[in-house]
Coordinates of all heavy atoms in Angstrom, one line a residue:
M13 N -33.6 -27.3 20.8 CA -33.8 -27.0 19.4 C -34.0 -28.4 18.6 O -33.3 -29.4 19.0 CB -32.6 -26.3 18.8 CG -32.9 -25.4 17.7 SD -31.6 -24.6 16.9 CE -30.7 -23.7 18.1
K14 N -34.9 -28.4 17.7 CA -35.1 -29.6 16.9 C -33.9 -29.8 16.0 O -33.2 -28.9 15.6 CB -36.4 -29.4 16.1 CG -37.6 -29.3 17.0 CD -38.8 -29.2 16.1 CE -40.1 -29.1 17.0 NZ -41.3 -29.0 16.2
P15 N -33.7 -31.1 15.6 CA -32.5 -31.4 14.8 C -32.6 -30.7 13.4 O -31.6 -30.3 12.8 CB -32.6 -32.9 14.6 CG -33.6 -33.4 15.5 CD -34.4 -32.3 16.1
H16 N -33.9 -30.6 12.9 CA -34.0 -29.9 11.5 C -33.6 -28.5 11.6 O -33.0 -27.9 10.7 CB -35.4 -30.1 11.0 CG -35.8 -31.5 10.7 ND1 -35.1 -32.3 9.8 CD2 -36.8 -32.3 11.2 CE1 -35.6 -33.5 9.7 NE2 -36.7 -33.5 10.5
K17 N -34.1 -27.8 12.7 CA -33.8 -26.4 12.9 C -32.3 -26.2 13.1 O -31.7 -25.2 12.5 CB -34.6 -25.8 14.0 CG -34.4 -24.3 14.1 CD -35.5 -23.8 15.0 CE -35.3 -22.3 15.1 NZ -36.4 -21.5 15.0
A18 N -31.6 -27.0 13.8 CA -30.2 -26.9 14.0 C -29.4 -27.1 12.7 O -28.5 -26.4 12.4 CB -29.7 -27.9 15.1
R19 N -29.9 -28.1 12.0 CA -29.3 -28.3 10.6 C -29.4 -27.1 9.7 O -28.5 -26.7 9.0 CB -29.9 -29.6 10.0 CG -29.5 -29.9 8.6 CD -28.2 -30.5 8.6 NE -28.0 -30.9 7.2 CZ -26.9 -31.5 6.8 NH1 -26.0 -31.8 7.6 NH2 -26.8 -31.7 5.5
M20 N -30.6 -26.5 9.7 CA -30.9 -25.3 8.9 C -30.0 -24.2 9.3 O -29.5 -23.4 8.5 CB -32.4 -24.9 9.0 CG -32.8 -23.9 8.0 SD -34.5 -23.5 8.0 CE -34.7 -22.7 9.6
E21 N -29.8 -24.0 10.6 CA -28.9 -22.9 11.1 C -27.5 -23.1 10.7 O -26.8 -22.2 10.3 CB -29.0 -22.8 12.7 CG -30.4 -22.4 13.2 CD -30.7 -20.9 12.9 OE1 -29.7 -20.1 12.8 OE2 -31.9 -20.6 12.7
E22 N -27.0 -24.4 10.7 CA -25.7 -24.7 10.3 C -25.5 -24.4 8.8 O -24.5 -23.8 8.3 CB -25.3 -26.1 10.6 CG -25.1 -26.5 12.0 CD -24.9 -27.9 12.3 OE1 -24.7 -28.7 11.3 OE2 -24.9 -28.3 13.4
D23 N -26.5 -24.8 8.0 CA -26.5 -24.6 6.6 C -26.5 -23.1 6.2 O -25.8 -22.7 5.3 CB -27.7 -25.3 5.9 CG -27.5 -26.8 5.9 OD1 -26.4 -27.3 6.1 OD2 -28.5 -27.5 5.6
R24 N -27.3 -22.4 7.0 CA -27.3 -20.9 6.8 C -26.0 -20.3 7.1 O -25.5 -19.4 6.4 CB -28.4 -20.3 7.6 CG -28.6 -18.8 7.3 CD -29.8 -18.2 8.0 NE -31.0 -18.7 7.4 CZ -32.2 -18.9 8.0 NH1 -32.3 -18.7 9.3 NH2 -33.2 -19.4 7.3
A25 N -25.4 -20.7 8.2 CA -24.0 -20.2 8.5 C -23.0 -20.5 7.4 O -22.2 -19.6 7.1 CB -23.6 -20.7 9.9
L26 N -23.0 -21.7 6.9 CA -22.1 -22.1 5.8 C -22.4 -21.3 4.6 O -21.4 -20.8 3.9 CB -22.3 -23.6 5.5 CG -21.7 -24.6 6.5 CD1 -22.0 -26.0 6.2 CD2 -20.1 -24.4 6.6
R27 N -23.7 -21.1 4.3 CA -24.0 -20.3 3.1 C -23.5 -18.8 3.3 O -22.9 -18.3 2.3 CB -25.5 -20.3 2.9 CG -26.0 -19.5 1.7 CD -27.4 -19.0 1.7 NE -27.6 -18.1 2.8 CZ -28.7 -17.7 3.3 NH1 -29.8 -18.3 2.8 NH2 -28.8 -16.9 4.3
D28 N -23.7 -18.3 4.4 CA -23.3 -16.9 4.7 C -21.7 -16.8 4.6 O -21.2 -15.8 4.1 CB -23.8 -16.4 6.0 CG -25.3 -16.2 6.0 OD1 -25.9 -16.1 4.9 OD2 -25.9 -16.1 7.1
A29 N -21.0 -17.8 5.1 CA -19.6 -17.8 5.1 C -19.1 -17.9 3.6 O -18.2 -17.2 3.2 CB -19.0 -18.9 5.9
A30 N -19.7 -18.7 2.8 CA -19.4 -18.9 1.4 C -19.7 -17.6 0.6 O -18.9 -17.2 -0.2 CB -20.1 -20.1 0.8
R31 N -20.8 -17.0 0.9 CA -21.1 -15.7 0.3 C -20.1 -14.6 0.6 O -19.7 -13.9 -0.3 CB -22.5 -15.3 0.7 CG -23.0 -14.0 0.0 CD -24.3 -13.6 0.5 NE -24.6 -12.3 -0.1 CZ -25.6 -12.0 -0.9 NH1 -26.3 -13.0 -1.4 NH2 -25.8 -10.8 -1.4
A32 N -19.7 -14.6 1.8 CA -18.7 -13.6 2.2 C -17.3 -13.8 1.5 O -16.7 -12.9 1.0 CB -18.4 -13.6 3.7
L33 N -17.0 -15.1 1.3 CA -15.7 -15.4 0.5 C -15.9 -15.0 -0.9 O -15.0 -14.4 -1.5 CB -15.4 -16.9 0.6 CG -14.9 -17.4 2.0 CD1 -14.8 -18.9 1.9 CD2 -13.6 -16.8 2.3
V34 N -17.0 -15.3 -1.5 CA -17.3 -14.9 -2.9 C -17.2 -13.4 -3.1 O -16.6 -12.8 -4.0 CB -18.6 -15.5 -3.4 CG1 -19.0 -14.9 -4.8 CG2 -18.5 -17.0 -3.5
M35 N -17.9 -12.7 -2.2 CA -17.9 -11.2 -2.2 C -16.5 -10.6 -2.1 O -16.1 -9.7 -2.8 CB -18.8 -10.6 -1.2 CG -20.3 -11.0 -1.4 SD -20.9 -10.6 -3.0 CE -21.1 -8.9 -2.9
D36 N -15.7 -11.2 -1.2 CA -14.3 -10.8 -1.0 C -13.5 -11.0 -2.3 O -12.7 -10.2 -2.8 CB -13.6 -11.5 0.1 CG -14.1 -11.0 1.5 OD1 -14.6 -9.9 1.5 OD2 -13.8 -11.7 2.5
D37 N -13.7 -12.2 -3.0 CA -13.1 -12.5 -4.2 C -13.5 -11.5 -5.3 O -12.6 -11.0 -6.1 CB -13.4 -13.9 -4.7 CG -12.6 -15.0 -3.9 OD1 -11.7 -14.6 -3.2 OD2 -13.0 -16.1 -4.0
I38 N -14.7 -11.1 -5.4 CA -15.2 -10.2 -6.4 C -14.6 -8.8 -6.1 O -14.1 -8.1 -7.1 CB -16.8 -10.1 -6.4 CG1 -17.3 -11.4 -6.9 CG2 -17.3 -8.9 -7.2 CD1 -18.8 -11.5 -6.8
D39 N -14.5 -8.4 -4.9 CA -13.9 -7.1 -4.6 C -12.4 -7.1 -4.9 O -11.9 -6.1 -5.5 CB -14.1 -6.8 -3.1 CG -15.5 -6.4 -2.7 OD1 -16.3 -6.1 -3.6 OD2 -15.9 -6.5 -1.5
H40 N -11.8 -8.2 -4.7 CA -10.3 -8.3 -5.0 C -10.2 -8.2 -6.5 O -9.3 -7.5 -7.0 CB -9.8 -9.7 -4.5 CG -8.4 -9.9 -4.9 ND1 -7.3 -9.2 -4.4 CD2 -7.8 -10.8 -5.8 CE1 -6.2 -9.6 -4.9 NE2 -6.5 -10.6 -5.8
L41 N -11.0 -8.9 -7.3 CA -10.9 -8.9 -8.8 C -11.2 -7.5 -9.3 O -10.5 -7.0 -10.2 CB -11.9 -9.9 -9.4 CG -11.5 -11.3 -9.3 CD1 -12.6 -12.2 -9.8 CD2 -10.2 -11.6 -10.1
K42 N -12.2 -6.8 -8.7 CA -12.5 -5.4 -9.2 C -11.3 -4.5 -8.9 O -10.9 -3.7 -9.8 CB -13.7 -4.9 -8.4 CG -15.0 -5.4 -8.9 CD -16.1 -4.8 -8.1 CE -17.5 -5.3 -8.6 NZ -18.6 -4.8 -7.8
G43 N -10.6 -4.6 -7.8 CA -9.5 -3.8 -7.5 C -8.3 -4.2 -8.4 O -7.6 -3.3 -8.9
D44 N -8.2 -5.5 -8.7 CA -7.1 -5.9 -9.6 C -7.3 -5.4 -11.0 O -6.3 -5.1 -11.7 CB -7.0 -7.4 -9.5 CG -5.7 -8.0 -10.0 OD1 -4.7 -7.3 -9.8 OD2 -5.7 -9.1 -10.6
V45 N -8.5 -5.4 -11.5 CA -8.8 -5.0 -12.8 C -8.6 -3.5 -12.9 O -8.1 -3.0 -13.9 CB -10.2 -5.3 -13.3 CG1 -10.7 -4.6 -14.5 CG2 -10.4 -6.8 -13.5
E46 N -8.9 -2.7 -11.9 CA -8.7 -1.3 -11.9 C -7.2 -1.0 -11.9 O -6.8 0.0 -12.5 CB -9.4 -0.6 -10.7 CG -10.9 -0.6 -10.8 CD -11.6 -0.1 -9.6 OE1 -10.9 0.3 -8.6 OE2 -12.8 -0.1 -9.5
E47 N -6.5 -1.8 -11.2 CA -5.0 -1.6 -11.1 C -4.3 -1.9 -12.5 O -3.5 -1.2 -12.9 CB -4.4 -2.5 -10.0 CG -2.9 -2.4 -9.8 CD -2.4 -3.3 -8.7 OE1 -3.1 -3.4 -7.7 OE2 -1.4 -3.9 -9.0
K48 N -4.7 -3.0 -13.1 CA -4.2 -3.4 -14.4 C -5.3 -3.6 -15.4 O -6.1 -4.4 -15.2 CB -3.4 -4.7 -14.2 CG -2.6 -5.1 -15.5 CD -1.8 -6.3 -15.2 CE -1.0 -6.8 -16.4 NZ -0.3 -8.0 -16.1
G49 N -5.4 -2.8 -16.4 CA -6.5 -2.8 -17.3 C -6.7 -4.0 -18.1 O -5.8 -4.9 -18.2
I50 N -7.8 -4.1 -18.8 CA -8.2 -5.3 -19.6 C -7.2 -5.4 -20.7 O -6.7 -6.5 -21.0 CB -9.6 -5.2 -20.1 CG1 -10.6 -5.2 -18.9 CG2 -9.9 -6.3 -21.1 CD1 -10.7 -6.4 -18.1
V51 N -6.9 -4.3 -21.4 CA -6.0 -4.3 -22.6 C -4.6 -4.8 -22.1 O -4.0 -5.6 -22.8 CB -5.9 -2.9 -23.2 CG1 -4.9 -2.9 -24.3 CG2 -7.3 -2.5 -23.7
A52 N -4.1 -4.3 -21.0 CA -2.8 -4.8 -20.5 C -2.8 -6.3 -20.2 O -1.8 -7.0 -20.4 CB -2.4 -4.0 -19.3
R53 N -3.9 -6.8 -19.7 CA -4.0 -8.2 -19.4 C -4.0 -9.0 -20.7 O -3.3 -10.0 -20.7 CB -5.3 -8.5 -18.6 CG -5.3 -8.0 -17.2 CD -6.5 -8.4 -16.5 NE -6.6 -7.8 -15.2 CZ -5.8 -8.3 -14.2 NH1 -5.1 -9.3 -14.3 NH2 -5.9 -7.7 -13.0
I54 N -4.7 -8.5 -21.7 CA -4.8 -9.3 -23.0 C -3.4 -9.3 -23.6 O -2.9 -10.3 -24.1 CB -5.8 -8.7 -23.9 CG1 -7.2 -8.9 -23.4 CG2 -5.7 -9.2 -25.3 CD1 -8.3 -8.2 -24.1
A55 N -2.7 -8.1 -23.6 CA -1.4 -8.0 -24.1 C -0.4 -8.9 -23.4 O 0.4 -9.6 -24.0 CB -0.9 -6.6 -24.1
S56 N -0.5 -8.9 -22.1 CA 0.4 -9.8 -21.3 C 0.1 -11.3 -21.6 O 1.1 -12.1 -21.7 CB 0.1 -9.5 -19.8 OG 0.9 -10.4 -19.0
S57 N -1.1 -11.6 -21.7 CA -1.5 -13.0 -22.0 C -1.0 -13.4 -23.4 O -0.4 -14.5 -23.6 CB -3.0 -13.2 -22.0 OG -3.4 -14.5 -22.3
A58 N -1.1 -12.5 -24.4 CA -0.6 -12.8 -25.7 C 0.9 -12.9 -25.8 O 1.4 -13.8 -26.5 CB -1.1 -11.7 -26.7
L59 N 1.6 -12.1 -25.0 CA 3.0 -12.2 -24.9 C 3.5 -13.5 -24.3 O 4.4 -14.1 -24.8 CB 3.6 -11.0 -24.1 CG 5.1 -10.9 -24.0 CD1 5.7 -10.7 -25.4 CD2 5.5 -9.8 -23.1
L60 N 2.8 -13.9 -23.3 CA 3.1 -15.2 -22.7 C 2.9 -16.3 -23.7 O 3.7 -17.3 -23.8 CB 2.3 -15.5 -21.4 CG 2.7 -14.6 -20.2 CD1 1.7 -14.9 -19.1 CD2 4.1 -15.0 -19.7
G61 N 1.8 -16.3 -24.4 CA 1.5 -17.3 -25.4 C 2.5 -17.3 -26.5 O 3.0 -18.4 -27.0
A62 N 2.9 -16.1 -27.0 CA 4.0 -16.1 -28.0 C 5.3 -16.6 -27.5 O 6.0 -17.2 -28.3 CB 4.1 -14.6 -28.5
T63 N 5.6 -16.3 -26.3 CA 6.9 -16.8 -25.7 C 6.9 -18.3 -25.6 O 7.9 -18.9 -26.0 CB 7.1 -16.2 -24.3 OG1 7.0 -14.7 -24.4 CG2 8.4 -16.6 -23.7
D64 N 5.7 -18.9 -25.2 CA 5.6 -20.3 -25.2 C 5.8 -20.9 -26.6 O 6.5 -22.0 -26.7 CB 4.3 -20.7 -24.6 CG 4.2 -20.4 -23.1 OD1 5.2 -20.2 -22.5 OD2 3.0 -20.4 -22.6
I65 N 5.2 -20.4 -27.6 CA 5.3 -20.9 -28.9 C 6.7 -20.8 -29.4 O 7.2 -21.7 -30.0 CB 4.3 -20.1 -29.9 CG1 2.9 -20.5 -29.5 CG2 4.6 -20.4 -31.3 CD1 1.8 -19.7 -30.3
F66 N 7.4 -19.7 -29.1 CA 8.8 -19.5 -29.6 C 9.7 -20.5 -28.9 O 10.5 -21.2 -29.5 CB 9.2 -18.1 -29.2 CG 10.7 -17.9 -29.5 CD1 11.1 -17.7 -30.8 CD2 11.6 -17.8 -28.5 CE1 12.4 -17.5 -31.1 CE2 13.0 -17.6 -28.8 CZ 13.4 -17.4 -30.1
E67 N 9.5 -20.8 -27.6 CA 10.3 -21.7 -26.9 C 10.1 -23.1 -27.4 O 11.0 -23.9 -27.5 CB 10.0 -21.7 -25.4 CG 10.5 -20.4 -24.7 CD 10.2 -20.3 -23.2 OE1 9.5 -21.2 -22.7 OE2 10.5 -19.3 -22.6
E68 N 8.8 -23.5 -27.7 CA 8.5 -24.8 -28.2 C 9.1 -25.0 -29.6 O 9.7 -26.1 -29.9 CB 7.0 -25.1 -28.3 CG 6.4 -25.3 -26.9 CD 4.9 -25.5 -27.0 OE1 4.4 -25.9 -28.1 OE2 4.2 -25.4 -25.9
G69 N 9.1 -23.9 -30.4 CA 9.7 -24.0 -31.7 C 11.2 -24.2 -31.6 O 11.8 -24.9 -32.4
K70 N 11.8 -23.5 -30.7 CA 13.2 -23.6 -30.5 C 13.6 -25.0 -30.0 O 14.6 -25.5 -30.5 CB 13.7 -22.5 -29.4 CG 15.1 -22.3 -29.4 CD 15.4 -21.0 -28.6 CE 16.0 -21.4 -27.2 NZ 16.4 -20.3 -26.4
E71 N 12.9 -25.5 -29.1 CA 13.2 -26.9 -28.7 C 13.0 -27.9 -29.8 O 13.8 -28.8 -30.0 CB 12.2 -27.3 -27.5 CG 12.5 -26.6 -26.2 CD 11.5 -27.0 -25.2 OE1 10.7 -27.9 -25.4 OE2 11.5 -26.3 -24.1
L72 N 12.0 -27.7 -30.6 CA 11.8 -28.6 -31.8 C 12.9 -28.5 -32.8 O 13.4 -29.5 -33.3 CB 10.4 -28.2 -32.5 CG 10.0 -29.1 -33.6 CD1 9.7 -30.6 -33.1 CD2 8.7 -28.6 -34.2
A73 N 13.4 -27.2 -33.0 CA 14.5 -27.0 -34.0 C 15.8 -27.7 -33.4 O 16.5 -28.2 -34.2 CB 14.7 -25.5 -34.2
E74 N 16.0 -27.6 -32.1 CA 17.2 -28.2 -31.5 C 17.1 -29.8 -31.6 O 18.1 -30.4 -31.8 CB 17.3 -27.8 -30.1 CG 17.8 -26.4 -29.9 CD 17.8 -25.9 -28.5 OE1 17.6 -26.7 -27.6 OE2 18.1 -24.7 -28.3
K75 N 15.9 -30.3 -31.5 CA 15.8 -31.8 -31.7 C 16.0 -32.3 -33.1 O 16.5 -33.3 -33.3 CB 14.4 -32.2 -31.2 CG 14.2 -32.2 -29.7 CD 12.8 -32.7 -29.4 CE 12.5 -32.7 -27.9 NZ 11.1 -33.1 -27.6
H76 N 15.6 -31.4 -34.0 CA 15.6 -31.8 -35.5 C 16.5 -30.8 -36.2 O 16.0 -30.1 -37.1 CB 14.2 -31.9 -36.0 CG 13.3 -32.8 -35.3 ND1 13.4 -34.1 -35.3 CD2 12.3 -32.5 -34.4 CE1 12.4 -34.7 -34.6 NE2 11.8 -33.7 -34.0
K77 N 17.8 -30.7 -35.9 CA 18.6 -29.7 -36.5 C 18.7 -29.8 -38.0 O 18.6 -28.8 -38.7 CB 20.0 -29.8 -35.9 CG 20.0 -29.1 -34.5 CD 21.4 -28.7 -34.1 CE 21.3 -28.1 -32.7 NZ 22.1 -27.0 -32.6
P78 N 19.0 -31.0 -38.6 CA 19.1 -31.1 -40.1 C 17.8 -30.5 -40.8 O 17.9 -29.8 -41.8 CB 19.3 -32.6 -40.4 CG 19.9 -33.1 -39.1 CD 19.2 -32.3 -38.0
A79 N 16.7 -30.9 -40.3 CA 15.4 -30.4 -40.9 C 15.3 -28.9 -40.7 O 14.9 -28.2 -41.6 CB 14.2 -31.1 -40.3
S80 N 15.7 -28.4 -39.6 CA 15.6 -26.9 -39.4 C 16.6 -26.2 -40.3 O 16.3 -25.1 -40.7 CB 15.9 -26.6 -37.9 OG 17.2 -26.9 -37.5
Y81 N 17.8 -26.8 -40.6 CA 18.7 -26.1 -41.5 C 18.1 -26.1 -42.9 O 18.2 -25.1 -43.6 CB 20.0 -26.9 -41.6 CG 20.8 -26.8 -40.3 CD1 21.7 -27.9 -39.9 CD2 20.8 -25.7 -39.4 CE1 22.4 -27.9 -38.8 CE2 21.6 -25.7 -38.3 CZ 22.4 -26.8 -38.0 OH 23.1 -26.7 -36.8
G82 N 17.4 -27.1 -43.3 CA 16.8 -27.1 -44.6 C 15.7 -26.1 -44.7 O 15.5 -25.4 -45.7
I83 N 14.9 -26.0 -43.6 CA 13.8 -25.0 -43.6 C 14.4 -23.6 -43.6 O 13.9 -22.7 -44.3 CB 12.9 -25.3 -42.4 CG1 12.1 -26.6 -42.6 CG2 11.9 -24.1 -42.2 CD1 11.3 -27.0 -41.3
G84 N 15.4 -23.4 -42.9 CA 16.1 -22.1 -42.8 C 16.6 -21.7 -44.2 O 16.5 -20.6 -44.6
A85 N 17.2 -22.7 -44.9 CA 17.8 -22.5 -46.2 C 16.7 -22.1 -47.2 O 16.8 -21.2 -48.0 CB 18.5 -23.7 -46.7
V86 N 15.5 -22.8 -47.1 CA 14.4 -22.5 -48.0 C 13.9 -21.1 -47.7 O 13.6 -20.3 -48.7 CB 13.3 -23.5 -47.9 CG1 12.0 -23.1 -48.6 CG2 13.7 -24.9 -48.4
I87 N 13.7 -20.7 -46.5 CA 13.2 -19.4 -46.1 C 14.2 -18.3 -46.6 O 13.8 -17.3 -47.1 CB 13.0 -19.3 -44.6 CG1 11.8 -20.2 -44.2 CG2 12.8 -17.9 -44.2 CD1 11.5 -20.3 -42.7
A88 N 15.5 -18.6 -46.4 CA 16.5 -17.6 -46.8 C 16.5 -17.5 -48.4 O 16.6 -16.3 -48.9 CB 17.9 -18.1 -46.4
A89 N 16.3 -18.5 -49.1 CA 16.2 -18.5 -50.5 C 15.0 -17.6 -51.0 O 15.1 -16.8 -51.9 CB 16.2 -19.9 -51.1
V90 N 13.9 -17.9 -50.3 CA 12.7 -17.1 -50.7 C 12.8 -15.6 -50.4 O 12.5 -14.8 -51.2 CB 11.4 -17.7 -50.0 CG1 10.2 -16.8 -50.1 CG2 11.1 -19.1 -50.5
V91 N 13.4 -15.3 -49.2 CA 13.6 -13.9 -48.9 C 14.6 -13.3 -49.8 O 14.4 -12.1 -50.2 CB 14.0 -13.8 -47.4 CG1 14.5 -12.4 -47.1 CG2 12.9 -14.2 -46.4
G92 N 15.6 -14.0 -50.2 CA 16.6 -13.5 -51.1 C 16.0 -13.2 -52.5 O 16.3 -12.2 -53.1
W93 N 15.2 -14.2 -52.9 CA 14.6 -14.0 -54.2 C 13.7 -12.8 -54.2 O 13.7 -12.0 -55.2 CB 13.8 -15.3 -54.6 CG 13.0 -15.2 -55.8 CD1 13.5 -15.3 -57.1 CD2 11.6 -15.0 -55.9 NE1 12.4 -15.2 -58.0 CE2 11.2 -15.0 -57.3 CE3 10.6 -14.8 -55.0 CZ2 10.0 -14.8 -57.7 CZ3 9.3 -14.7 -55.4 CH2 9.0 -14.7 -56.7
W94 N 12.9 -12.6 -53.1 CA 12.0 -11.5 -53.0 C 12.8 -10.2 -53.0 O 12.4 -9.2 -53.6 CB 11.1 -11.7 -51.8 CG 10.3 -10.5 -51.5 CD1 9.1 -10.2 -52.2 CD2 10.5 -9.5 -50.5 NE1 8.6 -9.0 -51.7 CE2 9.4 -8.6 -50.6 CE3 11.4 -9.3 -49.6 CZ2 9.3 -7.5 -49.8 CZ3 11.3 -8.1 -48.8 CH2 10.3 -7.3 -48.9
A95 N 13.9 -10.2 -52.2 CA 14.7 -9.0 -52.0 C 15.4 -8.5 -53.3 O 15.6 -7.4 -53.6 CB 15.8 -9.2 -51.0
L96 N 15.7 -9.5 -54.2 CA 16.3 -9.2 -55.5 C 15.3 -8.8 -56.6 O 15.7 -8.7 -57.7 CB 17.2 -10.3 -55.9 CG 18.4 -10.6 -55.0 CD1 19.2 -11.8 -55.4 CD2 19.4 -9.4 -55.0
G97 N 14.1 -8.8 -56.3 CA 13.1 -8.4 -57.3 C 12.1 -9.4 -57.6 O 11.1 -9.1 -58.3
G98 N 12.2 -10.5 -57.1 CA 11.2 -11.6 -57.2 C 10.9 -12.0 -58.7 O 9.8 -12.3 -59.0
G99 N 11.9 -12.0 -59.5 CA 11.7 -12.5 -60.9 C 11.1 -11.4 -61.8 O 10.8 -11.7 -62.9
R100 N 11.0 -10.2 -61.4 CA 10.4 -9.1 -62.2 C 11.5 -8.7 -63.2 O 12.7 -8.7 -62.9 CB 10.1 -7.9 -61.4 CG 8.8 -8.2 -60.6 CD 8.4 -6.9 -59.9 NE 7.1 -7.0 -59.4 CZ 6.3 -6.0 -59.2 NH1 6.7 -4.8 -59.4 NH2 5.1 -6.2 -58.7
S101 N 11.0 -8.3 -64.3 CA 11.9 -7.8 -65.3 C 11.8 -6.2 -65.3 O 10.9 -5.7 -64.8 CB 11.6 -8.3 -66.7 OG 10.3 -7.9 -67.1
D102 N 12.8 -5.6 -66.0 CA 12.8 -4.2 -66.1 C 11.8 -3.6 -67.1 O 11.6 -2.4 -67.3 CB 14.2 -3.6 -66.3 CG 15.1 -3.9 -65.1 OD1 14.5 -4.0 -64.0 OD2 16.3 -3.9 -65.3
K103 N 11.2 -4.5 -67.9 CA 10.3 -4.1 -69.0 C 9.1 -3.5 -68.4 O 8.6 -3.9 -67.3 CB 10.0 -5.3 -69.8 CG 11.1 -5.9 -70.6 CD 10.6 -7.0 -71.5 CE 11.7 -7.7 -72.3 NZ 11.2 -8.8 -73.0
S104 N 8.4 -2.7 -69.1 CA 7.2 -2.1 -68.7 C 6.1 -3.1 -68.7 O 6.0 -4.0 -69.6 CB 6.8 -0.9 -69.6 OG 5.5 -0.5 -69.3
D105 N 5.2 -3.0 -67.8 CA 4.0 -3.9 -67.8 C 3.0 -3.6 -68.9 O 2.2 -4.4 -69.2 CB 3.3 -3.8 -66.4 CG 4.0 -4.4 -65.3 OD1 4.9 -5.2 -65.6 OD2 3.7 -4.1 -64.1
D106 N 3.2 -2.5 -69.6 CA 2.3 -2.1 -70.7 C 2.4 -3.1 -71.8 O 1.4 -3.4 -72.5 CB 2.6 -0.7 -71.2 CG 2.2 0.4 -70.1 OD1 1.4 0.0 -69.2 OD2 2.7 1.5 -70.2
E107 N 3.6 -3.7 -72.0 CA 3.8 -4.6 -73.1 C 3.0 -5.9 -72.9 O 2.7 -6.6 -73.8 CB 5.3 -4.9 -73.3 CG 6.1 -3.7 -73.8 CD 7.5 -4.0 -73.9 OE1 7.9 -5.1 -73.8 OE2 8.3 -3.0 -74.0
D108 N 2.9 -6.2 -71.6 CA 2.2 -7.5 -71.2 C 0.7 -7.4 -71.6 O 0.0 -8.4 -71.9 CB 2.3 -7.8 -69.8 CG 3.7 -8.1 -69.4 OD1 4.5 -8.5 -70.3 OD2 4.0 -8.0 -68.2
Y109 N 0.2 -6.2 -71.7 CA -1.2 -6.0 -72.0 C -1.5 -5.4 -73.4 O -2.5 -4.8 -73.6 CB -1.9 -5.1 -70.9 CG -1.7 -5.7 -69.5 CD1 -0.8 -5.1 -68.6 CD2 -2.4 -6.8 -69.2 CE1 -0.7 -5.6 -67.4 CE2 -2.3 -7.3 -67.9 CZ -1.4 -6.8 -67.0 OH -1.3 -7.3 -65.8
A110 N -0.6 -5.7 -74.3 CA -0.7 -5.2 -75.6 C -2.0 -5.7 -76.3 O -2.6 -5.1 -77.2 CB 0.5 -5.5 -76.5
W111 N -2.4 -6.9 -76.0 CA -3.5 -7.5 -76.6 C -4.8 -6.8 -76.2 O -5.8 -6.9 -76.9 CB -3.6 -9.0 -76.2 CG -3.7 -9.2 -74.7 CD1 -2.6 -9.4 -73.9 CD2 -4.9 -9.3 -73.9 NE1 -3.0 -9.6 -72.6 CE2 -4.4 -9.5 -72.6 CE3 -6.2 -9.2 -74.1 CZ2 -5.3 -9.6 -71.5 CZ3 -7.1 -9.3 -73.1 CH2 -6.6 -9.5 -71.8
D112 N -4.8 -5.9 -75.2 CA -6.0 -5.2 -74.8 C -6.2 -4.0 -75.7 O -7.3 -3.5 -75.9 CB -5.8 -4.6 -73.4 CG -6.1 -5.7 -72.3 OD1 -6.6 -6.7 -72.7 OD2 -5.8 -5.5 -71.2
E113 N -5.2 -3.5 -76.3 CA -5.3 -2.3 -77.1 C -5.9 -2.6 -78.5 O -5.7 -3.6 -79.1 CB -3.9 -1.7 -77.4 CG -3.2 -1.3 -76.1 CD -1.8 -0.8 -76.3 OE1 -1.4 -0.6 -77.5 OE2 -1.1 -0.6 -75.3
I114 N -6.7 -1.6 -78.9 CA -7.4 -1.7 -80.2 C -6.7 -0.7 -81.1 O -6.6 0.4 -80.8 CB -8.9 -1.4 -80.0 CG1 -9.6 -2.5 -79.1 CG2 -9.6 -1.4 -81.4 CD1 -11.0 -2.2 -78.8
D115 N -6.3 -1.2 -82.2 CA -5.6 -0.3 -83.2 C -6.6 0.5 -84.0 O -7.6 0.2 -84.4 CB -4.7 -1.1 -84.1 CG -3.5 -1.6 -83.3 OD1 -3.1 -1.0 -82.4 OD2 -3.0 -2.7 -83.7

């Protein structure tokens, strides 16, 4: 056999082996997607991302405790203000728009 022909046969064998591996991977992915749907995968990925963000925030708060206490106090004040009515008065809103009325 000529050297070029032998080289071509080796390359073809490598190509066929690589193609078989890719086809096996595709079949595996198809089976995996059928087993666990796309929506479940997205939800799982989002949950992992949220967990990572929460853990990083927790580590940051532990490193900077005085700042986190201040931020917590501000958040608590805003939530308390909102829960107590947010500065609204018991007066009717109609009085605020008295200038709209024509006598």
Side-chain angles (χ1 to χ4, degrees):
M13 210 183 305
K14 295 183 179 180
H16 293 301
K17 187 163 178 139
R19 172 80 177 181
M20 188 174 71
E21 293 292 327
E22 289 175 10
D23 289 346
R24 184 173 290 149
L26 286 173
R27 182 201 64 194
D28 292 342
R31 182 183 172 113
L33 288 173
V34 169
M35 295 307 286
D36 286 343
D37 286 345
I38 290 172
D39 290 338
H40 177 71
L41 285 173
K42 283 181 182 178
D44 198 33
V45 168
E46 289 173 4
E47 182 180 317
K48 186 176 181 183
I50 299 293
V51 175
R53 288 182 186 283
I54 291 171
S56 175
S57 178
L59 183 61
L60 286 173
T63 303
D64 289 344
I65 290 171
F66 176 74
E67 288 176 1
E68 287 180 20
K70 195 166 106 176
E71 288 176 13
L72 185 63
E74 288 176 3
K75 284 182 183 177
H76 305 286
K77 281 197 183 224
S80 64
Y81 292 149
I83 292 170
V86 168
I87 291 172
V90 169
V91 169
W93 175 78
W94 176 76
L96 293 174
R100 288 187 166 202
S101 65
D102 291 337
K103 293 181 182 178
S104 172
D105 288 340
D106 293 340
E107 293 176 14
D108 294 338
Y109 300 108
W111 56 271
D112 282 346
E113 297 177 11
I114 298 175
D115 292 329

